[in-house]
Amino acid sequence: ATGFPLQRLLTAFKSKEGIFVRVLQTQVEALTTRVRKDMKAEMPVPLLLRTLSERAVLELEKSPLLLQLVLVQCDAFLPGWEDHLDKLRRRLVDVVAQVVKVGVSEGHIRKELPIDMLSSLIFEVHVVGQLLSQRNSPKKEQLAAQRRMLALDVIFNGIRAR
């Protein structure tokens, strides 16, 4: 599809798996660039996280490869590349961590919480929500949006009655 002879590509990347991982890396870089452009400094942190979540959902729907990466499905057909795939997923979590750090500095998020672990947890909640919203339902998009809003509300306000 690129017009390059296969042998030339394999020489440059050493394996078909290397080519595949490079395609994923390019897609992750493009996604993180587009998502960061949507994040405006003047937005409150809860809105930043919602914007990040909504943009990510739109991007994942357009890119089955990225969705497979996020859902850890690529690991099964790329044995030996798990470390590379984890690094790519970490780049996505780093975008969440950037928002969490802003939330801590602005007092929206408690500073004693470990940023890396909290960012991973927020990312994982988003991934599970994405996975579960893949069901065939005429209200799929509406339910997914409601799930994102509820997840963000729980993250910022908890579930304990006040």
Side-chain angles (χ1 to χ4, degrees):
T2 65
F4 274 65
L6 178 61
Q7 192 55 44
R8 203 164 177 196
L9 283 172
L10 289 175
T11 301
F13 289 99
K14 309 290 188 242
S15 69
K16 291 181 283 188
E17 293 82 1
I19 296 169
F20 189 81
V21 170
R22 180 64 181 131
V23 168
L24 280 171
Q25 181 181 357
T26 301
Q27 288 192 359
V28 166
E29 289 170 6
L31 171 63
T32 57
T33 299
R34 287 190 299 269
V35 166
R36 283 190 170 111
K37 283 182 183 177
D38 285 349
M39 296 169 26
K40 308 291 185 232
E42 66 277 359
M43 290 175 138
V45 170
L47 183 57
L48 271 173
L49 275 176
R50 188 175 101 203
T51 301
L52 173 63
S53 176
E54 289 170 352
R55 176 63 161 188
V57 166
L58 291 173
E59 295 290 334
L60 292 175
E61 286 174 352
K62 291 190 290 188
S63 175
L65 287 180
L66 278 177
L67 182 59
Q68 288 180 338
L69 172 70
V70 167
L71 298 177
V72 194
Q73 294 172 339
C74 292
D75 298 48
F77 55 86
L78 290 169
W81 289 86
E82 296 86 357
D83 287 346
H84 295 281
L85 299 173
D86 283 340
K87 286 178 185 172
L88 291 177
R89 281 187 286 271
R90 183 70 224 167
R91 298 232 12 234
L92 297 172
V93 173
D94 287 345
V95 177
V96 178
Q98 184 180 359
V99 175
V100 169
K101 287 176 186 174
V102 172
V104 170
S105 69
E106 291 180 356
H108 295 287
I109 297 174
R110 296 189 337 247
K111 62 182 172 188
E112 70 271 10
L113 296 174
I115 289 174
D116 287 342
M117 194 176 299
L118 178 60
S119 302
S120 291
L121 184 60
I122 292 169
F123 180 79
E124 290 161 11
V125 166
H126 177 75
V127 168
V128 169
Q130 176 70 14
L131 178 63
L132 294 176
S133 71
Q134 294 299 310
R135 296 174 262 170
N136 290 330
S137 165
K139 296 182 180 182
K140 179 178 106 171
E141 290 179 21
Q142 179 185 359
L143 291 171
Q146 289 171 343
R147 291 172 67 87
R148 282 193 302 276
M149 292 300 294
L150 179 59
L152 289 171
D153 185 42
V154 168
I155 288 168
F156 283 102
N157 301 312
I159 61 172
R160 199 178 305 166
R162 297 179 193 260

